[in-house]
Amino acid sequence: MKILPFAIAILLCLLTCNGCLQTPCKAPYPRLDSLPIECYEAPTKNSSSPPCIPLKNEANVRLSEHVKAYAVNRYIDPANQRIMHERHVLYRIEEDPSWRLATDDSKQILIGNILTDGKLNYNPILMEKELALELHRQRVINEILQSHSDILIDTSAGLNKDHEVMLERSEQLRKALEEQGRIITALKIQLDLQ
């Protein structure tokens, strides 16, 4: 008989929690363009840091945690049958705080100690500098490759000359061996005749 009130209390608790889970009470995140951002001034050439933080509102870079409240009726504590909990509100963190990864293309954002013009993937000045550095690097590599190519051509020409000399020398040695072979054959014939 003690199990029936306990089962009813747990069933009511589960139904209450289930009702809270089915009703969406999560507020949508605020849009970036609706948030006030007050500082858009670019830094002067003499200053190394911007005059103020461009994203003054934290919601532009950080999403806050989402807490949900559940109303719980009376129930007997499952760990101890001698304890009954009175009706109360249970607060649960549904989502932890996190970083906002989406940026607003029309606003300037802080990167290190400089301000960009919104889009991170396109900055003409940085791209021009990067292109000039890459072009210089390619020219240096091209000069090195050209010098190595010239060295290889000279070495190849030298090897071809050495090869021709070796062919001539081997031809001379072959002829000398043939001549000596004829002399040995003639001497052998003369020895056989005596």
Side-chain angles (χ1 to χ4, degrees), residues 113-168:
N113 59 353
I114 61 169
L115 288 169
T116 68
D117 291 329
K119 284 189 176 182
L120 297 178
N121 58 355
Y122 179 71
N123 188 336
I125 296 169
L126 292 177
M127 287 182 68
E128 186 177 323
K129 287 180 182 177
E130 185 178 348
L131 185 61
L133 286 172
E134 181 63 24
L135 188 60
H136 176 70
R137 189 177 75 84
Q138 291 296 329
R139 284 181 182 154
V140 169
I141 290 172
N142 192 23
E143 289 174 6
I144 292 170
L145 289 175
Q146 188 65 39
S147 67
H148 286 240
S149 175
D150 294 342
I151 291 170
L152 285 174
I153 289 171
D154 293 342
T155 305
S156 175
L159 288 173
N160 284 338
K161 286 181 184 177
D162 290 344
H163 184 261
E164 289 173 5
V165 169
M166 298 277 288
L167 285 176
E168 289 175 9

Side-chain angles (χ1 to χ4, degrees), residues 3-23:
I3 296 176
L4 185 61
F6 177 69
I8 292 174
I10 288 183
L11 182 63
L12 288 174
C13 181
L14 289 175
L15 288 174
T16 304
C17 290
N18 189 26
C20 290
L21 289 175
Q22 288 180 354
T23 56

Side-chain angles (χ1 to χ4, degrees), residues 51-172:
C52 61
I53 296 174
L55 299 174
K56 199 162 188 176
N57 192 331
E58 266 185 31
N60 286 299
V61 291
R62 189 89 172 141
L63 301 173
S64 61
E65 66 183 11
H66 184 241
V67 179
K68 194 170 185 180
Y70 297 95
V72 181
N73 290 327
R74 279 185 174 185
Y75 67 95
I76 298 172
D77 194 324
N80 188 347
Q81 297 290 323
R82 302 177 75 178
I83 298 175
M84 181 188 78
H85 291 268
E86 188 59 65
R87 179 182 173 159
H88 62 278
V89 178
L90 176 80
Y91 297 97
R92 181 173 183 264
I93 297 175
E94 297 288 322
E95 287 187 29
D96 290 328
S98 61
W99 294 105
R100 179 185 291 278
L101 298 178
T103 60
D104 188 358
D105 290 342
S106 65
K107 307 282 191 297
Q108 290 181 333
I109 58 176
L110 183 67
I111 298 181
N113 59 353
I114 61 169
L115 288 169
T116 68
D117 291 329
K119 284 189 176 182
L120 297 178
N121 58 355
Y122 179 71
N123 188 336
I125 296 169
L126 292 177
M127 287 182 68
E128 186 177 323
K129 287 180 182 177
E130 185 178 348
L131 185 61
L133 286 172
E134 181 63 24
L135 188 60
H136 176 70
R137 189 177 75 84
Q138 291 296 329
R139 284 181 182 154
V140 169
I141 290 172
N142 192 23
E143 289 174 6
I144 292 170
L145 289 175
Q146 188 65 39
S147 67
H148 286 240
S149 175
D150 294 342
I151 291 170
L152 285 174
I153 289 171
D154 293 342
T155 305
S156 175
L159 288 173
N160 284 338
K161 286 181 184 177
D162 290 344
H163 184 261
E164 289 173 5
V165 169
M166 298 277 288
L167 285 176
E168 289 175 9
R169 181 75 179 138
S170 98
E171 184 65 27
Q172 290 172 357

Side-chain angles (χ1 to χ4, degrees), residues 41-51 108 113-115:
E41 302 152 8
T44 61
K45 290 186 179 182
N46 298 335
S47 70
S48 61
S49 61
Q108 290 181 333
N113 59 353
I114 61 169
L115 288 169

Side-chain angles (χ1 to χ4, degrees), residues 175-191:
K175 287 180 182 177
L177 282 174
E178 285 178 1
E179 183 65 33
Q180 287 190 5
R182 274 187 247 130
I183 293 172
I184 290 173
T185 307
L187 287 173
K188 192 175 181 185
I189 291 173
Q190 284 179 359
L191 284 174

